[in-house]
């Protein structure tokens, strides 16, 4: 009854929606765990509870995949909502389990709730996802370019204009434009294929 | 530009590029697209000659741009230059026609030797001519299928105002899957009324268009209409209809209608004298004979007036009606009617026979019984099918519920591990401050303090698994995996990865002493990178405090750097005597980590902590590497730093290196203005 044969042509998310076996779960964890850790690090969740919380988040993502439809909404928006909800319910559960209810306010390494509004958090996760995909793409294209080309691209990302980049790198202004364009094209291509494999 | 604003602009730019990539790719925007489009001939590779005509050669070639195999027609270099235009014209004319049964032209241009070429769809298979010549006789219906496709293509071309003028079995290609393509539109002509739609670069002057590319008489004897031979003949759609008739005739009889020497063929074509189809091949039906005769009529006005009429007649014949061309008698129509409705006529005869016979009732009875049996058989079969599918459903359900069970189980396991968080906030804060913040700065002291603190807490609150777990975590950082294991298995822990690792470690090693051998620590680094990147750095720092052999420790620093810079393959030269480190090679740009990403800073940490900090270096030589971000040196206490010929362009962060006294830069690396801003304590050295 399994659809193994035609599964291969589908994306991970599509397959995970249809069939929740262990192989797919593991593949899913490999794909998204690094980002979840990144997010937990970003929010300074203590190292010791990261493993547990990341498992929770991944499991929740996996189970709520059916609520995600790439043709109807953006993956990052969905991701923001799911991650945020899981993290909040995680902390709420811990509070509930507490036997010293009176002290709720003083308790818990509730870094998230201390520092951030709920709605803000969704946007933050969404933005972190974009930045994270960007940094993955940058890592992937790195071996294909000279240090100067990468540097030119990096500086242009930081908002530096071609004149200044040219003088920083001691190259001609026209070559700056060319270097930037080459890296940018490859970069966009890479982001696009990451989106294709992680969000569809 | 301040660092903050450039970081903001960077995040914004990355988001914009991401959103751009979210849009579907537009033509010409994707990576490598421009690189691949190279105008001209160089995009074609592996040319292989597959055919040769009077003035052109046909090659099979691989198109590197689109990644497919195509055919290329190239005008022979010796062809006179006034053929160039006619040749390109053929390509443009063919490209103008867009029909499934007309060969597709992709591209035209000039080769490296300046000979004109055009590329087109490659049809592997054979020509209709070789199909007719081959001894195996194809069934008539196959031929008619092909003929209708050829005629449809010609009919389409006529609708676009184009006539072919050289239709013959040679110019019809049959692909391996029965696809039919009409090719060689080199003699094709545009009829006046449609010429405006077709943007040709040259005037439609007849001396050129009547010039044959094959260097012979225009058209092919045997298939050419009489008006194509006559000096004053008016060529038109009717000429193509004549050629179609000749093709049909050849398909049915195996020979062209007009045969003999060249001159004889011309003469017979002009006279309209050829053997009727049924004389050559008596088995051919009268209808097809009539159709080919009408198409082959000597006078254009006696032929079909459009190709559609010809197609309609062939189709009438195929569905059993008399073609219009046949002008069939009543008897012929009756014969055709019976043959068309064989089953119907037979049934009528049978039924009347049954009525008249006495066995009718018996037969009907038998039929009834038969059908009852059939019915019950059907029901039986249906039940079986239903049963099978129900069984399958049940199995589906079972495996689904097993999966659900597995997930629920996993979740329960996880929530059981969700320790109670009843520790007062102050305790939690102190605990995390020591292990997650202070541990980066004064590692040994922080971990020792945390141990004392946690043990005291444990006596007071023995029921908090969180404390036991944290004790296990600290023991792990201190390389005492046996001790770590004893804590981590005691309570249900959330650090399952550490627990499992320690578990397999103690199975392998009965006992161990700290510091662990290098190879084991390196194993831990590789196992937990990048998931526990921060913990590993603390572990590295702690290692420096307990490992007395600093050279050995430097090996671990090197391992950590290699993990941070996967594409780096340069040298790591550490000199214990002078306390100096030289790094070289490409791909090295990370020297540390940023334990708190931008958003929520924990108080008291520098923006980055460096993997080199534990070496307590005096001097660091980064010259000629790809290093560019001084922040990566974070908490290093170096006095001498060489950044000449690196990609460092900003010196703002140099102030944060509090103990720096000597800085080496390359000549011209920084503007004088920038260098003037350096703190007084730093002495500048200029490298060549």
């Amino acid at each position: 009854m399994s659809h193994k044969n035609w599964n291969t042509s589908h994306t991970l998310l599509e397959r995970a929606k249809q069939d929740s076996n262990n192989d797919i779960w593991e593949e899913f964890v490999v794909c998204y765990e690094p980002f979840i850790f990144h997010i937990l690090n970003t929010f300074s969740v203590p190292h010791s509870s990261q493993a547990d919380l990341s498992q929770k988040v991944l499991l929740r993502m996996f189970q709520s995949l059916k609520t995600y439809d790439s043709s109807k909404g953006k993956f990052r928006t969905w991701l923001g909502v799911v991650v945020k909800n899981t993290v909040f319910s995680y902390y709420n559960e811990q509070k509930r389990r507490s036997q010293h209810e009176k002290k709720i306010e003083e308790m818990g390494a509730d870094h998230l709730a201390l520092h951030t509004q709920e709605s803000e958090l969704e946007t933050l996760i969404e933005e972190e996802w974009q930045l994270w995909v960007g940094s993955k793409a940058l890592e992937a294209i790195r071996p294909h370019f000279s240090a100067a080309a990468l540097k030119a691209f990096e500086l242009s990302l930081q908002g530096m204009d071609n004149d200044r980049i040219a003088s920083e790198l001691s190259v001609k202004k026209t070559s700056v434009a060319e270097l930037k364009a080459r890296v940018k094209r490859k970069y966009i291509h890479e982001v696009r294929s990451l989106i294709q494999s992680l969000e569809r | 530009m301040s660092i903050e604003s450039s970081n903001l602009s960077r995040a914004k730019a990355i988001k914009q590029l991401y959103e751009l990539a979210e849009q579907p790719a537009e033509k010409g925007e994707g990576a490598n697209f421009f690189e691949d489009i190279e105008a001209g001939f160089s995009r074609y590779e592996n040319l292989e000659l597959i055919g040769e005509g009077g003035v052109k050669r046909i090659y099979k070639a691989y198109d590197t741009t689109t990644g497919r195999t195509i055919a290329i027609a190239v005008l022979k270099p010796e062809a006179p230059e006034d053929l160039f235009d006619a040749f390109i014209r053929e390509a443009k004319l063919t490209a103008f026609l867009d029909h499934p049964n007309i060969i597709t032209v992709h591209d035209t241009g000039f080769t490296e030797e300046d000979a004109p070429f055009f590329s087109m769809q490659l049809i592997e298979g054979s020509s209709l001519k070789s199909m007719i010549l081959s001894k195996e006789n194809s069934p008539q219906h196959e031929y008619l299928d092909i003929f209708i496709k050829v005629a449809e293509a010609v009919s389409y071309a006529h609708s676009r105002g184009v006539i072919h003028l050289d239709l013959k079995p040679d110019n019809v290609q049959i692909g391996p899957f029965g696809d039919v393509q009409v090719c060689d539109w080199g003699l094709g002509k545009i009829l006046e009324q449609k010429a405006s739609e077709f943007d040709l670069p040259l005037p439609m002057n007849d001396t050129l268009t009547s010039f044959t590319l094959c260097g012979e008489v225009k058209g092919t004897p045997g298939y050419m209409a009489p008006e194509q031979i006559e000096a004053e003949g008016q060529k038109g759609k009717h000429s193509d209809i004549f050629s179609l008739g000749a093709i049909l005739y050849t398909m049915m009889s195996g020979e062209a209608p007009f045969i003999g020497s060249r001159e004889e063929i011309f003469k017979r074509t002009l006279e309209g004298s050829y053997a009727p189809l049924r004389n050559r091949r008596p088995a051919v039906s009268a209808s097809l004979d009539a159709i080919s005769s009408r198409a082959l009529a000597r006078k254009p006005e006696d032929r079909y007036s459009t190709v559609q009429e010809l197609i309609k007649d062939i189709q009438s014949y195929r569905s059993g009606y008399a073609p219009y061309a046949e002008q069939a008698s009543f008897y012929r129509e009756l014969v055709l009617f019976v043959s068309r409705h064989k089953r119907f006529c037979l049934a009528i005869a049978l039924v009347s026979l049954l009525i008249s016979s006495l066995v009718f009732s018996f037969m009907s009875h038998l039929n009834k019984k038969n059908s009852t049996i059939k019915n019950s058989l059907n029901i039986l079969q249906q039940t079986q099918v239903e049963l099978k599918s129900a069984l399958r459903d049940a199995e589906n359900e079972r495996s689904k519920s097993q999966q659900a069970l597995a997930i629920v189980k996993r979740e329960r396991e996880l929530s059981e591990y969700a320790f109670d968080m009843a520790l007062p906030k102050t305790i939690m804060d102190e605990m995390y401050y020591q292990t997650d913040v202070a541990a980066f700065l004064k590692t040994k002291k922080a971990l020792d303090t945390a141990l004392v603190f946690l043990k005291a807490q444990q006596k007071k609150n023995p029921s908090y698994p969180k404390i036991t777990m944290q004790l296990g975590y600290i023991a792990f950082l201190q390389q005492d995996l046996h001790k770590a294991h004893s804590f981590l298995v005691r309570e249900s822990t959330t650090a399952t990865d550490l627990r499992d690792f320690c578990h397999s470690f103690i199975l392998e090693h009965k006992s161990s002493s700290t510091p662990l051998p290098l190879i084991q620590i390196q194993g831990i680094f590789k196992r937990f990178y990048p998931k526990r990147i921060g913990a590993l750095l603390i572990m590295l720092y702690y290692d420096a405090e307990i490992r007395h052999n600093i050279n050995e420790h430097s090996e671990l620093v090197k391992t950590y750097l290699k993990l941070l810079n996967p594409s780096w393959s340069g040298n790591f030269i550490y000199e214990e005597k002078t306390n100096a480190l030289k790094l070289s090679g490409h791909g090295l740009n990370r020297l540390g980590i940023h334990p708190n990403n931008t958003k929520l800073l924990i108080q008291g940490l520098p923006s980055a902590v460096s993997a080199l900090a534990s070496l307590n270096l005096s001097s660091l030589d980064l010259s000629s590497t790809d290093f560019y971000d001084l922040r990566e040196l974070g908490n290093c206490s170096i006095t001498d730093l060489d950044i000449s010929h690196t990609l460092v362009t900003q010196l703002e962060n140099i102030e944060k290196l509090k103990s720096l006294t000597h800085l080496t830069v390359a000549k011209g690396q920084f503007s004088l203005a920038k260098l003037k801003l350096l703190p007084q304590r730093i002495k500048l050295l200029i490298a060549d």
Side-chain angles (χ1 to χ4, degrees):
Chain A
M1 75 117 203
S2 108
H3 305 301
K4 278 226 157 71
N5 292 335
W6 49 268
N7 267 351
T8 46
S9 61
H10 285 62
T11 64
L12 173 62
L13 293 186
E14 279 172 19
R15 281 184 286 140
K17 271 188 197 179
Q18 275 158 9
D19 195 353
S20 47
N21 68 39
N22 215 38
D23 290 350
I24 293 181
W25 162 253
E26 271 161 23
E27 208 182 319
F28 183 84
V29 170
V30 168
C31 270
Y32 298 95
E33 192 179 45
F35 174 71
I36 301 304
F37 270 100
H38 168 77
I39 272 288
L40 299 183
N41 265 319
T42 302
F43 295 142
S44 301
V45 172
H47 292 161
S48 44
S49 42
Q50 286 185 3
D52 179 32
L53 191 46
S54 91
Q55 281 287 307
K56 286 233 166 232
V57 172
L58 286 165
L59 195 61
R60 181 62 54 86
M61 279 171 70
F62 195 67
Q63 289 167 340
S64 7
L65 268 181
K66 49 189 169 304
T67 64
Y68 169 61
D69 181 350
S70 66
S71 61
K72 291 191 179 131
K74 291 196 159 70
F75 176 77
R76 51 189 159 96
T77 314
W78 174 83
L79 182 73
V81 174
V82 174
V83 174
K84 186 217 70 185
N85 286 344
T86 318
V87 170
F88 269 82
S89 67
Y90 178 81
Y91 281 113
N92 286 337
E93 191 181 335
Q94 285 175 354
K95 280 183 189 168
R96 226 182 9 176
R97 281 164 177 261
S98 150
Q99 287 151 13
H100 308 264
E101 304 224 358
K102 275 171 269 170
K103 294 181 182 169
I104 278 179
E105 294 306 314
E106 304 160 25
M107 258 182 277
D110 203 335
H111 292 244
L112 294 168
L114 285 179
H115 293 278
T116 329
Q117 293 293 316
E118 257 193 79
S119 57
E120 239 177 273
L121 195 64
E122 271 170 34
T123 329
L124 279 181
I125 295 170
E126 215 181 307
E127 284 176 3
E128 279 301 330
W129 173 255
Q130 289 173 296
L131 297 179
W132 189 75
V133 169
S135 71
K136 294 270 285 184
L138 213 51
E139 243 165 69
I141 64 170
R142 206 172 276 284
H144 299 280
F145 295 101
S146 68
L150 290 169
K151 176 92 185 185
F153 181 62
E154 178 62 38
L155 292 176
S156 77
L157 286 180
Q158 292 172 14
M160 201 179 275
D161 59 34
N162 283 2
D163 284 328
R164 276 201 60 196
I165 298 177
S167 70
E168 291 269 359
L169 297 178
S170 334
V171 291
K172 279 193 220 127
K173 197 178 148 191
T174 48
S175 10
V176 170
E178 198 220 299
L179 291 176
K180 265 169 53 184
R182 274 177 44 223
V183 181
K184 184 179 164 192
R185 234 170 13 239
K186 183 94 181 160
Y187 174 83
I188 290 186
H189 184 74
E190 190 59 39
V191 173
R192 185 164 285 148
S193 62
L194 284 171
I195 289 176
Q196 197 56 38
S197 62
L198 293 173
E199 303 187 6
R200 301 282 190 256
Chain B
M1 194 180 334
S2 73
I3 304 285
E4 288 74 33
S5 84
S6 73
N7 275 343
L8 266 179
S9 126
R10 183 177 191 275
K12 206 173 147 200
I14 287 181
K15 276 188 262 169
Q16 276 170 358
L17 290 174
Y18 173 95
E19 277 152 26
L20 180 67
E22 268 186 326
Q23 310 299 321
E26 274 169 38
K27 209 179 168 194
E29 184 211 298
N32 298 332
F33 192 85
F34 297 121
E35 282 101 329
D36 285 349
I37 286 272
E38 274 168 29
F41 201 66
S42 55
R43 60 187 270 193
Y44 304 109
E45 282 175 4
N46 302 337
L47 267 66
E48 183 191 323
L49 189 68
I50 52 171
E52 190 159 2
V55 290
K56 63 186 173 197
R57 293 197 177 99
I58 313 284
Y59 297 90
K60 180 175 164 177
Y62 177 73
D63 180 350
T64 54
T65 306
T66 56
R68 61 184 169 188
T69 306
I70 44 99
I72 300 182
V74 184
L75 194 65
K76 286 186 182 175
E78 59 268 28
E81 220 160 283
D82 45 349
L83 282 184
F84 278 30
D85 283 348
F87 182 84
I88 296 295
R89 187 184 156 274
E90 174 183 349
K92 292 211 164 190
L93 186 85
T94 316
F96 177 65
L97 300 172
D98 181 15
H99 188 271
N101 298 119
I102 294 177
I103 190 139
T104 312
V105 163
H106 303 307
D107 184 24
T108 74
F110 290 87
T111 67
E112 279 129 7
E113 287 82 37
D114 282 338
F117 76 89
F118 60 86
S119 68
M120 58 193 159
Q121 180 189 1
L122 174 71
I123 305 174
E124 296 188 276
S126 54
S127 73
L128 178 59
K129 185 181 179 184
S130 51
M131 184 175 171
I132 293 169
L133 287 179
S134 77
K135 292 295 167 207
E136 317 154 22
N137 259 329
S138 303
Q140 177 182 299
H141 70 85
E142 245 176 56
Y143 276 134
L144 289 181
D145 281 343
I146 295 172
F147 182 79
I148 286 176
K149 285 177 184 163
V150 173
E152 294 279 12
V154 175
S155 172
Y156 163 81
H158 286 181
S159 78
R160 305 284 283 146
V162 174
I163 51 177
H164 189 287
L165 293 182
D166 195 15
L167 291 169
K168 56 180 175 179
D170 235 0
N171 285 342
V172 175
Q173 286 286 327
I174 316 287
F177 305 105
D179 40 324
V180 173
Q181 304 280 340
V182 178
C183 16
D184 210 342
W185 293 74
L187 293 184
K189 205 180 147 174
I190 309 273
L191 298 172
E192 315 247 320
Q193 65 267 33
K194 296 268 181 170
S196 61
E197 273 183 45
F198 183 60
D199 181 25
L200 278 186
L202 67 156
M204 293 299 302
N205 106 30
D206 219 50
T207 53
L208 190 63
T209 50
S210 62
F211 203 105
T212 149
L213 287 191
C214 304
E216 347 170 314
V217 173
K218 174 183 168 184
T220 305
Y223 296 92
M224 261 192 313
E227 65 271 15
Q228 287 177 270
I229 300 170
E230 290 165 331
E232 300 293 311
Q234 274 298 317
K235 286 150 287 195
K237 295 177 182 172
H238 46 266
S239 316
D240 281 348
I241 291 172
F242 184 94
S243 302
L244 284 174
I247 291 175
L248 181 63
Y249 185 103
T250 313
M251 283 173 145
M252 295 300 129
S253 71
E255 274 180 308
F258 307 100
I259 43 180
S261 71
R262 246 178 111 77
E263 282 68 33
E264 280 165 347
I265 292 177
F266 282 156
K267 192 168 159 262
R268 286 180 187 147
T269 306
L270 288 170
E271 286 166 357
S273 64
Y274 62 93
L277 189 50
R278 295 249 279 185
N279 289 9
R280 290 253 181 97
R281 188 69 53 99
V284 174
S285 94
S287 305
L288 288 177
D289 191 351
I291 293 171
S292 72
S293 305
R294 175 140 188 237
L296 283 167
R298 168 70 184 82
K299 289 186 191 157
E301 55 272 27
D302 294 337
R303 299 175 203 155
Y304 288 99
S305 57
T306 63
V307 181
Q308 275 308 318
E309 277 179 23
L310 169 58
I311 295 171
K312 210 176 139 203
D313 256 4
I314 298 269
Q315 277 164 346
S316 303
Y317 161 71
R318 296 190 81 176
S319 42
Y321 292 88
Y324 178 72
E326 194 179 344
Q327 293 172 351
S329 64
F330 174 73
Y331 171 71
R332 172 90 183 121
E333 293 275 17
L334 189 67
V335 169
L336 285 172
F337 178 84
V338 171
S339 76
R340 261 197 318 270
H341 301 290
K342 267 181 200 140
R343 250 177 270 166
F344 179 64
C345 297
L346 207 69
I348 290 195
L350 197 67
V351 166
S352 40
L353 197 72
L354 285 178
I355 290 171
S356 65
S357 96
L358 285 166
V359 290
F360 172 72
S361 62
F362 173 70
M363 285 287 279
S364 89
H365 180 67
L366 202 68
N367 262 350
K368 218 179 195 172
K369 220 172 186 178
N370 205 3
S371 79
T372 322
I373 292 173
K374 263 188 192 161
N375 274 346
S376 35
L377 208 68
N378 270 346
I379 292 172
L380 257 174
Q381 273 170 347
Q382 217 172 333
T383 322
Q384 205 183 0
V385 168
E386 275 165 13
L387 260 172
K388 267 188 191 160
S389 92
L391 210 65
R392 225 178 5 245
D393 285 349
E395 216 147 283
N396 278 353
E397 281 308 312
R398 207 180 54 185
S399 79
K400 258 188 212 157
S401 60
Q402 271 171 351
Q403 277 167 10
L405 205 67
I407 290 178
V408 168
K409 215 169 132 196
R410 187 154 41 202
E411 198 171 30
R412 204 172 48 209
E413 262 173 41
L414 287 170
S415 60
E416 273 166 8
Y417 291 153
F419 40 84
D420 76 37
M421 293 290 292
L423 281 179
K425 182 169 157 50
T426 47
I427 298 182
M428 298 293 294
D429 277 358
E430 176 62 19
M431 186 163 89
Y432 288 132
Y433 175 76
Q434 294 298 342
T435 56
D436 290 2
V437 182
F440 280 113
L441 303 172
K442 288 207 153 89
T443 312
K444 189 160 189 298
K445 190 171 164 236
L447 296 186
D448 289 346
T449 312
L451 278 183
V452 172
F453 174 76
L454 286 170
K455 279 183 182 153
Q457 287 299 324
Q458 200 183 25
K459 276 185 193 151
K460 279 192 251 168
N461 308 300
S463 63
Y464 293 142
K466 187 74 194 156
I467 293 179
T468 321
M469 198 185 87
Q470 201 67 4
L471 284 168
Y473 176 64
I474 294 171
F476 184 85
L477 296 178
Q478 293 177 326
Q479 306 184 9
D480 191 343
L481 303 195
H482 282 80
K483 193 169 164 193
H485 183 254
S486 72
F487 283 119
L488 292 171
V489 288
R490 207 179 298 166
E491 307 286 345
S492 54
T493 180
T494 55
T496 52
D497 56 338
L498 296 183
R499 185 195 60 199
D500 295 347
F501 184 84
C502 291
H503 188 70
S504 48
F505 181 87
I506 62 164
L507 288 183
E508 232 176 281
H509 308 277
K510 285 259 150 52
S511 65
S512 64
S513 59
T514 55
L516 288 175
L518 277 189
I519 182 113
Q520 285 172 10
I521 303 268
Q522 282 164 335
I524 293 175
F525 279 17
K526 278 167 194 159
R527 163 69 180 76
F528 291 103
Y529 185 88
K531 193 166 159 181
R532 289 185 177 273
I533 184 172
L536 294 181
L537 189 58
I538 295 175
M539 204 166 184
L540 180 69
Y541 285 174
Y542 190 81
D543 184 80
E545 313 231 23
I546 59 171
R547 195 180 296 277
H548 299 298
N549 185 337
I550 187 83
N551 270 321
E552 265 191 26
H553 174 73
S554 75
E555 281 300 310
L556 281 186
V557 174
K558 184 177 166 189
T559 306
Y560 195 84
L561 276 188
K562 289 249 177 203
L563 290 169
L564 278 179
N565 300 280
S567 59
W568 173 50
S569 58
N571 286 322
F572 177 103
I573 302 165
Y574 173 70
E575 275 206 45
E576 190 185 349
K577 251 188 226 159
T578 52
N579 212 7
L581 176 66
K582 170 156 179 55
L583 298 175
S584 63
H586 286 293
L588 180 80
N589 33 52
R590 295 197 59 189
L591 297 179
I593 62 170
H594 306 261
N596 304 292
N597 264 318
T598 48
K599 299 268 153 42
L600 304 166
L601 285 175
I602 292 186
Q603 298 278 308
L605 270 189
S607 65
V609 281
S610 171
L612 303 179
S614 62
L615 287 172
N616 274 322
L617 295 172
S618 305
S619 86
L620 174 62
D621 182 355
L622 293 170
S623 58
S624 305
T625 62
D626 298 341
F627 179 71
Y628 61 86
D629 189 352
L630 284 173
R631 283 179 302 171
E632 300 263 328
L633 290 171
N635 49 347
C636 283
S637 53
I638 40 175
T639 53
D640 291 43
L641 175 64
D642 186 344
I643 50 167
S644 61
H645 305 290
T646 61
L647 297 172
V648 176
T649 53
Q650 278 146 355
L651 288 173
E652 282 90 337
N653 288 300
I654 206 95
E655 281 173 43
K656 292 182 184 152
L657 297 171
K658 295 290 181 212
S659 35
L660 191 71
T661 52
H662 293 82
L663 178 68
T664 310
V665 300
K667 212 171 173 179
Q669 187 175 4
F670 302 98
S671 64
L672 271 179
K674 270 187 188 173
L675 293 174
K676 271 186 186 159
L677 290 173
L678 284 177
Q680 290 285 315
R681 65 182 154 93
I682 298 177
K683 202 177 156 200
L684 201 62
L685 304 166
I686 306 290
D688 290 330

